[in-house]
Amino acid sequence: MGRFSILLLTTMTAVVLTGCQSAPVSTPTPEAAVTPTPTAAPTPTPTPQPPTTATLAVCGDVMSHMPVTNDAWDEGAGIYDYTPIFEAARPYVEGADYAVANLETTLSTQGPYSGYPAFKSPAALAGDLKDLGFDLVLTANNHCLDRGYDGLVSTLDQLDQAGLAHVGTARSAEEAQPDTAIQVADVGGISVAFLGYTYGTNGIPLPSGKDYAVNLFNTDYMTTLSTPDTDRLEADLAAARALDTDLIAVMIHWGVEYQTTQNSYQEELTDLLIANGADLVLGGHSHVPQPLEMRTVTAADGTQHTGFVCYSLGNFISSQVDPLTDTTAVLTLELTLDHETGEAGVTGWSYVPMLMVRRDGTAQVFTLTDASAIPAGASDALVHKLEQAVSDCASILGPTPASP
């Protein structure tokens, strides 16, 4: 093979080898990494807190005239026991979140006991009221000084021993200060500040040096009983508002006995109380029922405030015989707290008519009876009385159930 051939072969081989190689591949420039922007999680819509609803049972005047006191005596057990007398009210009192009444007597562990005109009743009454389901009683009324200052102190001592809260009277100046005199209660999750007052003390002056003993809403409690102590009421209600409770309730002893309608003075006082923050005004003293109503008042600053008023529920227990003094009702108020607005108030009510039945025999037996349910075996006379009690309550208190 000649030199030219070898060169040619070499050249061809080089060409062939070169032609078999792949073309160079360009490597792409990597793009800069992009960090995704995190998507904010949606803010969950808070679940609205449902309104809180509670029930407050209200009863009338608890009076122990001597026939009632004698009936409460259990000879076999050697004790005073009032529970059989008002047992029929237990489902309505015990069934409420909180229950209140007006205690219109003094209490003592020592006899002799007495009824009208100067009441002194067995201390067992306090424990029996607590057992029935009551939580608080008004002690400011025209009979609270029937046994003087000592009787007032004894009454409060017995209530404390029974575990019953009280408003309206005080054993000391310290106890009469707003921070202790105003009772704040948890009523089924709704806070309520309770205050208590009376128009007078049946002409018995306050003990010397103890003006704090009884909460009086009249400046002329020994004379005309017609001049409200506006300064005191306004100051007390300001103290109650400062407690920042959901509701304020004023229990008050007022009006004219045996009248089934309120008078103008009661209405004026109601307006004064509501204008200064009272949401509930719970009255007693008339010994017969008086109306229920919602009342709207314009305050001095131009704002409007609505409150519920019970002028009177008559006697819870007694042995009075005047017309309608045996007729009463257990009132149940529906209280509602709106957590969204912070507003609270009475959103409804109902009542159960009751009749204090007096049966004469070898002994006088008193039974508070549910007038809306005729007991088996009731005589025609008792049936008529029960039906009349239902009718009377409807005409005075209004139809049941009622709503504002």
Side-chain angles (χ1 to χ4, degrees):
M1 179 178 299
R3 181 180 179 186
F4 176 80
S5 299
I6 293 173
L7 290 174
L8 179 60
L9 179 60
T10 302
T11 303
M12 292 177 63
T13 301
V15 172
V16 171
L17 292 175
T18 302
C20 292
Q21 291 180 354
S22 301
V25 179
S26 61
T27 303
T29 302
E31 297 181 4
V34 179
T35 303
T37 302
T39 303
T43 303
T45 302
T47 302
Q49 183 178 354
T52 295
T53 301
T55 52
L56 173 68
V58 184
C59 293
D61 304 336
V62 178
M63 308 192 73
S64 192
H65 298 88
M66 280 311 297
V68 174
T69 301
N70 292 336
D71 184 33
W73 175 248
D74 185 332
E75 184 67 34
I79 60 171
Y80 285 94
D81 182 6
Y82 287 84
T83 54
I85 297 175
F86 43 54
E87 185 67 22
R90 181 179 296 277
Y92 314 107
V93 176
E94 194 174 61
D97 292 307
Y98 203 79
V100 301
N102 168 46
L103 180 64
E104 196 161 352
T105 185
T106 66
L107 301 175
S108 176
T109 56
Q110 301 294 322
Y113 298 114
S114 60
Y116 183 83
F119 283 92
K120 181 181 180 182
S121 304
L125 178 56
D128 291 344
L129 289 170
K130 178 67 175 179
D131 176 76
L132 190 69
F134 284 104
D135 299 285
L136 178 147
V137 293
L138 172 67
T139 52
N141 53 65
N142 57 313
H143 287 288
C144 64
L145 287 177
D146 278 3
R147 296 294 169 174
Y149 174 72
D150 289 344
L152 181 149
V153 170
S154 174
T155 301
L156 297 181
D157 289 345
Q158 297 309 313
L159 292 172
D160 286 346
Q161 186 170 331
L164 265 177
H166 45 81
V167 290
T169 57
R171 287 163 286 208
S172 67
E174 293 74 22
E175 197 171 73
Q177 294 301 310
D179 58 344
T180 51
I182 300 173
Q183 291 287 333
V184 176
D186 180 351
V187 181
I190 299 175
S191 59
V192 182
F194 286 91
L195 301 86
Y197 302 92
T198 180
Y199 71 89
T201 54
N202 279 355
I204 303 173
L206 292 173
S208 177
K210 296 180 172 62
D211 291 349
Y212 55 76
V214 182
N215 289 355
L216 296 159
F217 67 77
N218 284 322
T219 57
D220 55 352
Y221 79 101
M222 291 289 290
T223 54
T224 58
L225 309 172
S226 60
T227 307
D229 191 343
T230 303
D231 291 342
R232 177 186 186 150
L233 293 174
E234 290 180 347
D236 287 355
L237 283 164
R241 294 196 306 273
L243 296 174
D244 198 27
T245 56
D246 299 315
L247 294 170
I248 297 174
V250 176
M251 300 180 69
I252 188 165
H253 207 69
W254 61 357
V256 179
E257 292 180 322
Y258 315 116
Q259 297 295 310
T260 58
T261 56
Q262 73 274 17
N263 58 29
S264 59
Y265 190 41
Q266 286 171 279
E267 292 180 344
E268 291 170 8
L269 280 168
T270 296
D271 291 349
L272 173 64
L273 295 172
I274 294 176
N276 282 276
D279 303 286
L280 298 89
V281 179
L282 308 175
H285 172 63
S286 64
H287 306 304
V288 296
Q290 291 184 343
L292 314 171
E293 70 168 335
M294 294 295 291
R295 198 171 179 92
T296 299
V297 178
T298 301
D301 62 1
T303 60
Q304 288 193 323
H305 192 183
T306 299
F308 171 85
V309 190
C310 168
Y311 289 103
S312 177
L313 289 171
N315 294 325
F316 182 61
I317 60 170
S318 80
S319 63
Q320 289 188 292
V321 296
D322 294 292
L324 293 172
T325 57
D326 59 354
T327 301
T328 188
V330 178
L331 171 66
T332 300
L333 300 178
E334 178 189 79
L335 311 180
T336 301
L337 169 61
D338 186 328
H339 295 280
E340 297 301 305
T341 64
E343 297 294 322
V346 175
T347 50
W349 67 83
S350 64
Y351 61 82
V352 178
M354 308 291 288
L355 182 71
M356 190 72 172
V357 178
R358 178 174 182 157
R359 296 192 297 272
D360 293 318
T362 56
Q364 290 180 317
V365 179
F366 297 87
T367 305
L368 192 63
T369 303
D370 184 343
S372 60
I374 306 299
S379 66
D380 290 344
L382 178 56
V383 169
H384 174 71
K385 286 183 177 181
L386 295 174
E387 291 175 341
Q388 186 63 49
V390 172
S391 175
D392 289 335
C393 283
S395 63
I396 298 170
L397 302 176
T400 179
S403 60

